[in-house]
Amino acid sequence: MSGVNQSPGVVVVSKFISFNSKTFSSYIDYMDREEAKRNKSFNRYSLYNDYMGNPKKTTGLFNKDTDLMNDNEKLDAKELFVKAQKNKSILWQDVFSFDNKWLEKQGLYNPRTKELDEKKVKDAVRKSIGFAVEKKCIAETCVWNGAIHFNTDNIHVHVAICEPNPTIQRGKRTQKTLDIMKSKFVNELLDSKENFLDINNIIRKDIVDSKKNSKIKEDKKLKELTRNVIRNLPKDKRHWHYGYNTMNDAKKYLDEMTKYYIDTYKKDEFKELILKLDKQEDVFKETYGVGQRSKFKDYKENKIDELYKRMGNAFLTEIKAYIKREDELDKIVNQKKINKLYSNKSSKLIISKKELKNIEKALSNEFDSIKNMDYYQRLQYKIDNGINI
């Protein structure tokens, strides 16, 4: 394929061995066999670290916190690895290998001076290994160190991980974990997160959020499509979300709204989004290799789907607010109708002469009763005080 590397720019391989394994993984094949012959005890863990720090093959060991471990730090690390083997820990071995031409193209390697941006490579390793040990729940119990090697045609990084006091006995990682490890490594290495951020900003801010500030409320086409959405909404308001299956009838009109809105108001922003998505797809092709198209083929489509989903939900938010306002107005109107109805009934209320006479009689009797009570109280007062009646 023209313009695209047939082989991947980055390869990440992960394996593990048990403390008593009789066979070495492909990583151990890199070790210095002459040194292995001299080492009668053949301690794999310490030997691996000796190889990792071999100055003829690497610029030195690094770990989670240090870019270049000193002699004391290396000695401490070796003792921890020996302790890990004695305590029957698993030894995880990871290799991050590069196509040097890919490194050159990304501005990470100068083939003339043989200079590599080691800081960036080490930080990318930290990001990847950090995820791996978190996923295994050994971030607080493991130790690891790594080394960049230049002794082959492809620059590569070896990493060794173990637990001095083991907490788990299963070393296998899932394919999903391995894929994410590589993704985090590549994204950190290429600062792809910046491109991702640009893509997300275009989707969320430049296209979706800016709709709130745009003068489209009088757009007749959008009004028509909005009415079509409302007519096809499911009865249950809890289902008024773009992703619900019950929204399928309304969703086609929401998608039409999004397409019309983009074509009419956000054509330039959408064009910029497509350019950035294509650029990111090219990076994926060169990084993962054309044979791994499944790793990136859906990225562009997924991002466009995400845009339509966000736009759909944004339109639905406005539709919900509109319907809520209409419901409240209906309640006010209905209440006014009810009040008017009662008011009309009151004004037409007719009391017969007989009913009026009965009311007057009852009031008169009650008044007489009060007067009589008052008279009785005055009479009792005179008797009690010896006053002549």
Side-chain angles (χ1 to χ4, degrees):
M1 182 179 292
S2 177
V4 178
N5 291 335
Q6 295 298 315
S7 58
V10 178
V11 174
V12 178
V13 183
S14 298
K15 292 188 178 181
F16 68 95
I17 61 172
S18 62
F19 73 99
N20 61 352
S21 175
K22 294 182 179 180
T23 59
F24 286 177
S25 66
S26 58
Y27 300 103
I28 305 302
D29 292 335
Y30 285 104
M31 292 192 295
D32 189 334
R33 293 304 179 184
E34 291 303 316
E35 186 174 359
K37 292 176 182 177
R38 292 194 300 270
N39 190 328
K40 298 295 180 73
S41 63
F42 205 54
N43 185 312
R44 294 171 189 154
Y45 283 43
S46 60
L47 177 57
Y48 188 65
N49 275 301
D50 287 338
Y51 165 74
M52 294 273 283
N54 190 327
K56 293 181 181 180
K57 300 177 176 65
T58 178
T59 55
L61 288 174
F62 69 95
N63 60 20
K64 181 178 68 173
D65 304 308
T66 306
D67 280 341
L68 184 61
M69 296 167 64
N70 59 36
D71 290 341
N72 288 333
E73 288 170 331
K74 287 190 284 187
L75 182 61
D76 290 342
K78 184 180 291 188
E79 290 176 353
L80 288 172
F81 271 69
V82 170
K83 179 180 179 180
Q85 186 184 30
K86 288 180 179 178
N87 288 337
K88 302 180 179 180
S89 169
I90 293 168
L91 175 66
W92 288 271
Q93 301 167 315
D94 301 297
V95 171
F96 301 81
S97 182
F98 302 103
D99 180 328
N100 289 4
K101 290 183 179 179
W102 181 89
L103 282 173
E104 182 182 353
K105 183 174 182 179
Q106 305 306 324
L108 297 168
Y109 179 62
N110 186 329
R112 184 176 59 82
T113 62
K114 307 297 183 183
E115 289 179 288
L116 174 72
D117 190 339
E118 294 191 23
K119 173 63 176 173
K120 211 157 195 176
V121 171
K122 290 174 182 177
D123 284 343
V125 170
R126 290 184 179 111
K127 199 77 171 181
S128 179
I129 297 300
F131 169 78
V133 297
E134 284 284 353
K135 196 68 177 175
K136 274 292 181 184
C137 300
I138 59 171
E140 303 299 323
T141 58
C142 75
V143 293
W144 68 266
N145 52 58
I148 302 173
H149 287 246
F150 300 88
N151 61 313
T152 64
D153 292 337
N154 299 96
I155 296 171
H156 55 281
V157 185
H158 280 277
V159 176
I161 310 168
C162 67
E163 286 188 287
N165 296 295
T167 61
I168 62 174
Q169 290 300 324
R170 297 191 62 178
K172 187 176 181 179
R173 297 180 180 131
T174 65
Q175 186 58 50
K176 183 177 180 180
T177 295
L178 296 175
D179 289 343
I180 297 176
M181 282 179 65
K182 181 171 181 177
S183 176
K184 287 186 175 293
F185 178 75
V186 170
N187 293 343
E188 186 72 20
L189 195 63
L190 300 181
D191 285 332
S192 291
K193 56 186 180 182
E194 294 180 7
N195 195 44
F196 290 151
L197 186 60
D198 288 342
I199 290 170
N200 290 334
N201 281 339
I202 293 173
I203 292 175
R204 296 174 187 177
K205 296 180 180 179
D206 297 343
I207 298 180
V208 178
D209 288 348
S210 66
K211 181 179 70 63
K212 300 173 184 177
N213 304 319
S214 58
K215 298 178 180 179
I216 62 172
K217 293 185 178 180
E218 300 305 317
D219 191 303
K220 292 182 179 179
K221 178 66 174 179
L222 284 176
K223 282 186 175 182
E224 178 188 344
L225 289 169
T226 299
R227 286 193 289 269
N228 289 333
V229 170
I230 293 173
R231 291 189 192 105
N232 288 277
L233 285 170
K235 292 181 180 179
D236 191 341
K237 292 182 179 180
R238 293 174 298 179
H239 290 196
W240 291 5
H241 297 280
Y242 186 87
Y244 274 58
N245 291 331
T246 51
M247 282 287 297
N248 287 340
D249 292 337
K251 191 185 296 184
K252 62 182 180 181
Y253 295 109
L254 286 170
D255 288 345
E256 282 187 44
M257 290 178 74
T258 296
K259 187 177 187 310
Y260 173 80
Y261 170 75
I262 291 172
D263 291 344
T264 307
Y265 298 99
K266 293 293 176 181
K267 188 175 290 185
D268 291 340
E269 289 84 350
F270 187 72
K271 184 177 180 180
E272 182 184 0
L273 173 64
I274 295 301
L275 288 173
K276 286 187 176 294
L277 289 173
D278 288 340
K279 177 183 175 182
Q280 192 62 44
E281 196 170 73
D282 287 342
V283 171
F284 285 147
K285 288 177 183 177
E286 293 179 349
T287 303
Y288 292 98
V290 294
Q292 295 294 314
R293 179 168 171 75
S294 60
K295 302 292 184 184
F296 58 82
K297 69 174 182 178
D298 295 330
Y299 176 76
K300 182 177 178 180
E301 292 178 12
N302 288 342
K303 281 297 177 183
I304 294 175
D305 287 346
E306 179 187 333
L307 170 61
Y308 272 71
K309 180 179 180 180
R310 287 182 177 276
M311 284 296 300
N313 281 326
F315 282 125
L316 282 171
T317 297
E318 293 185 6
I319 289 171
K320 289 176 188 177
Y322 166 76
I323 291 176
K324 183 179 180 181
R325 288 194 301 270
E326 290 297 306
D327 287 344
E328 289 173 351
L329 286 174
D330 286 343
K331 288 178 182 178
I332 293 172
V333 171
N334 289 335
Q335 188 62 49
K336 286 182 177 179
K337 288 180 179 179
I338 292 171
N339 293 341
K340 186 176 180 181
L341 178 63
Y342 275 103
S343 176
N344 291 338
K345 284 183 177 180
S346 298
S347 63
K348 295 178 181 178
L349 186 61
I350 299 174
I351 303 176
S352 65
K353 290 182 179 180
K354 183 177 180 181
E355 289 171 333
L356 181 58
K357 189 174 182 179
N358 289 336
I359 291 172
E360 288 175 345
K361 184 178 180 180
L363 289 172
S364 178
N365 290 339
E366 185 65 17
F367 181 69
D368 289 342
S369 175
I370 293 172
K371 284 197 304 180
N372 291 338
M373 181 65 71
D374 180 64
Y375 175 78
Y376 172 79
Q377 287 176 338
R378 281 188 283 112
L379 178 63
Q380 187 65 39
Y381 176 82
K382 288 181 178 182
I383 294 172
D384 290 344
N385 289 281
I387 300 174
N388 291 330
I389 300 173

